[in-house]
Amino acid sequence: MKKKLEKKYLTNIRILSILAIVLLVFVELYNIFLSPNRVTFSPRSTVSDCENILSIVLFTILIIYPQKIEFFSFISFYYSIDIIVSEKNNPMGIIMYFLGISVLYARGFFIKKKSLKLIFIFILLFVLIFINTTFNKTQFCSFILDTCAYIFLLTLIIFFVQFGYANNESSSHKVLNLAEFSGLKEEDIPLLQGVLDNKQYKLIASELKKTEGTIRNRLNRIYDILQVWDKQGFIACYYDCKIVFKEIKNETSDSAIGNL
């Protein structure tokens, strides 16, 4: 079974990153030149500008490396915490919070210790909402920009939930046959099984009596061949798979020999 992050998803991530940059640039231009509530060089406006600039940088990195979708969660949680705490009655914070959760789901964050992680996430949300009832600050975006952002964020949530669901469905009860990938060997099975068992590279190296650097370099090469890019990407794609090395016979040659 050949499983990889589909090119169409990577292309969509690049497109969504470009749209996010455009939206953030318009927000900055609005805040600087058109917002009636803008106070020049105020601490709040400075923090908001830094948030937007940092987000633009991260989205630019996503255009180059779209497989690093966890950057979406970093940006989402950063904005959501700020908005939930400081802007009362602004639903953007809640939406961005769940966007961050959906990105983590797509990245395979909830494969291990799902219940514990969900409990922590919802406790944190309730704490932030409680703080919001105590501290209240002025909203920084106009209604039109907020509406566009809501639509954009909901689109992202749907995209990442579908992406995570597709990964989970495709990996469930499947077999990863290393023989189907050029450059992979039967000796790679214990390495990858160790990764699926959530073992540290140091422990895997100790069990196989090899250096940690050797194990790390080989696994990085394997991730490239499987087109999953890193350890977390491999776990997200293959967490429920059985790893085997079963060479595929050439049926054409076999039938030809049989005819002779």
Side-chain angles (χ1 to χ4, degrees):
M1 178 195 67
K2 186 174 182 179
K3 175 70 175 64
K4 62 180 180 179
L5 293 175
E6 298 288 346
K7 289 184 178 180
K8 65 177 182 179
Y9 286 114
L10 300 182
T11 300
N12 288 339
I13 290 172
R14 287 190 172 100
I15 293 173
L16 292 171
S17 299
I18 293 172
L19 292 175
I21 291 174
V22 172
L23 180 61
L24 287 170
V25 169
F26 274 107
V27 168
E28 273 301 291
L29 293 175
Y30 173 84
N31 285 341
I32 294 172
F33 298 108
L34 299 175
S35 177
N37 298 322
R38 176 78 175 191
V39 179
T40 307
F41 300 119
S42 70
R44 176 61 182 166
S45 63
T46 302
V47 170
S48 178
D49 291 338
C50 291
E51 290 175 348
N52 291 339
I53 292 172
L54 175 62
S55 297
I56 290 173
V57 171
L58 291 177
F59 280 123
T60 302
I61 295 175
L62 271 170
I63 295 174
I64 303 172
Y65 302 105
Q67 65 272 19
K68 297 293 183 181
I69 59 174
E70 57 267 27
F71 283 170
F72 271 108
S73 65
F74 298 157
I75 298 169
S76 299
F77 284 127
Y78 187 76
Y79 273 110
S80 67
I81 291 173
D82 179 42
I83 295 173
I84 292 173
V85 170
S86 63
E87 300 184 22
K88 192 174 183 179
N89 299 324
N90 187 351
M92 175 72 82
I94 302 295
I95 295 176
M96 295 200 74
Y97 193 84
F98 281 100
L99 169 61
I101 294 175
S102 68
V103 175
L104 292 179
Y105 171 74
R107 196 68 172 96
F109 178 74
F110 295 104
I111 292 175
K112 304 284 186 179
K113 300 180 180 179
K114 180 190 297 184
S115 299
L116 185 62
K117 291 175 181 177
L118 287 174
I119 290 172
F120 172 79
I121 284 173
F122 282 102
I123 288 177
L124 177 60
L125 177 60
F126 287 130
V127 170
L128 294 174
I129 293 175
F130 174 77
I131 296 174
N132 173 269
T133 61
T134 307
F135 301 97
N136 182 23
K137 296 181 182 178
T138 307
Q139 294 183 358
F140 75 92
C141 224
S142 71
F143 173 77
I144 295 178
L145 285 176
D146 276 348
T147 302
C148 293
Y150 297 154
I151 296 173
F152 177 71
L153 289 172
L154 288 172
T155 301
L156 285 177
I157 291 173
I158 294 172
F159 171 75
F160 285 116
V161 168
Q162 187 222 6
F163 177 66
Y165 179 77
N167 267 347
N168 293 338
E169 284 295 301
S170 59
S171 65
S172 181
H173 306 296
K174 298 292 184 179
V175 174
L176 170 60
N177 186 5
L178 301 186
E180 296 181 5
F181 298 87
S182 176
L184 299 187
K185 302 175 292 185
E186 190 170 2
E187 292 78 9
D188 295 326
I189 294 178
L191 276 72
L192 295 176
Q193 191 58 56
V195 172
L196 291 183
D197 292 338
N198 209 26
K199 295 180 180 179
Q200 298 294 325
Y201 288 168
K202 185 176 181 179
L203 178 58
I204 297 175
S206 176
E207 291 177 348
L208 298 178
K209 294 180 172 51
K210 295 183 179 181
T211 64
E212 183 179 352
T214 300
I215 295 298
R216 186 179 299 276
N217 291 336
R218 180 55 186 168
L219 283 172
N220 286 337
R221 175 58 181 158
I222 294 173
Y223 298 151
D224 288 339
I225 293 174
L226 295 176
Q227 298 186 33
V228 294
W229 290 280
D230 58 17
K231 177 180 179 180
Q232 192 58 44
F234 173 76
I235 293 175
C237 290
Y238 295 104
Y239 75 96
D240 200 27
C241 287
K242 179 181 179 181
I243 304 176
V244 300
F245 190 92
K246 185 177 180 181
E247 295 188 11
I248 302 174
K249 295 182 179 179
N250 192 325
E251 295 181 0
T252 303
S253 301
D254 291 346
S255 59
I257 293 173
N259 291 335
L260 291 175

